[in-house]
């Protein structure tokens, strides 16, 4: 009986794959930028409330978190060795950025701003969530490094 040599429909060599990867990355970032543009347009041009497009913001946030997590796990972002000082500095920078974003979201872009007490409650949430995200990223980076070391052996 004669066997046929079936090639996959998209039989790509390394060069084709690299071109495809570059196109996919550019299109991914253009999509994220377009979604951010839609959020800004809906908020400022159409005057919609933040709650009207919060679903888009959630999708963008989760997508970005999963992207960074996958890049850390599969070794695309190589973190050789970070000191505790570097990790804490990154954590503080994320807290400052998250706090500024939270302040702007609730006190600049919404007409009844938050009181100091409620804003402080939001900042506690920001600090907690950023801590969880950083811990998750550190864990994935560690597990990804172990996975790569296993593959090399």
């Amino acid at each position: 009986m004669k066997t046929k040599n079936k090639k996959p429909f998209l039989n790509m060599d390394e060069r084709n794959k690299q071109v495809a990867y570059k196109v996919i990355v550019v299109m991914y970032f253009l999509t994220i930028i377009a979604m951010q543009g839609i959020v800004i347009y809906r908020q400022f041009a159409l005057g919609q409330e933040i709650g009207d497009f919060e679903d888009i913001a959630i999708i963008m946030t989760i997508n970005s978190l999963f992207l960074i997590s996958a890049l850390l796990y599969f070794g695309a972002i190589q973190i050789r060795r970070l000191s505790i000082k570097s990790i804490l500095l990154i954590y503080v920078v994320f807290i400052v950025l998250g706090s500024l974003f939270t302040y702007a979201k609730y006190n600049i872009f919404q007409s009844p701003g938050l009181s100091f007490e409620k804003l402080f409650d939001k900042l506690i949430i920001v600090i907690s969530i950023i801590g969880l995200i950083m811990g998750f990223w550190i864990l994935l980076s560690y597990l990804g490094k172990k996975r790569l070391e296993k593959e090399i052996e």
Side-chain angles (χ1 to χ4, degrees):
M1 201 154 125
K2 206 174 194 182
T3 61
K4 293 182 181 179
N5 186 8
K6 289 188 176 184
K7 290 186 178 181
F9 176 68
L10 292 173
N11 191 14
M12 300 172 79
D13 62 6
E14 285 300 314
R15 187 180 122 357
N16 296 75
K17 286 180 184 178
Q18 289 301 321
V19 170
Y21 295 154
K22 288 179 183 178
V23 169
I24 290 167
V25 167
V26 168
M27 294 307 295
Y28 172 78
F29 283 114
L30 288 176
T31 301
I32 294 296
I33 290 170
M35 288 176 71
Q36 185 61 41
I38 290 168
V39 167
I40 291 170
Y41 173 75
R42 289 175 71 177
Q43 181 176 4
F44 295 111
L46 299 179
Q48 294 179 343
E49 293 295 320
I50 291 175
D52 293 338
F53 48 85
E54 200 164 2
D55 53 344
I56 295 174
I58 291 170
I59 290 170
M60 288 173 45
T61 302
I62 291 172
N63 189 308
S64 299
L65 292 175
F66 283 152
L67 172 71
I68 294 169
S69 300
L71 291 174
L72 285 167
Y73 181 74
F74 290 111
I77 299 175
Q78 294 184 2
I79 299 177
R80 303 210 190 287
R81 193 159 175 89
L82 284 178
S83 66
I84 299 295
K85 198 187 287 188
S86 299
I87 292 171
L88 288 175
L89 180 65
I90 293 168
Y91 179 64
V92 168
V93 167
F94 276 131
I95 287 175
V96 168
L97 291 174
S99 300
L100 290 173
F101 175 78
T102 302
Y103 177 81
K105 178 181 175 184
Y106 288 103
N107 286 340
I108 296 174
F109 297 123
Q110 289 184 349
S111 52
L114 294 176
S115 67
F116 185 73
E117 254 180 51
K118 289 183 180 180
L119 187 62
F120 186 72
D121 290 340
K122 298 283 184 189
L123 294 180
I124 290 173
I125 294 170
V126 167
I127 290 168
S128 303
I129 290 174
I130 290 173
L132 289 171
I133 291 169
M134 290 282 297
F136 185 66
W137 284 345
I138 290 168
L139 177 67
L140 281 176
S141 180
Y142 175 76
L143 293 174
K145 185 177 177 183
K146 291 295 180 189
R147 184 187 61 81
L148 288 174
E149 288 173 357
K150 236 182 197 180
E151 285 180 5
I152 291 174
E153 290 176 358

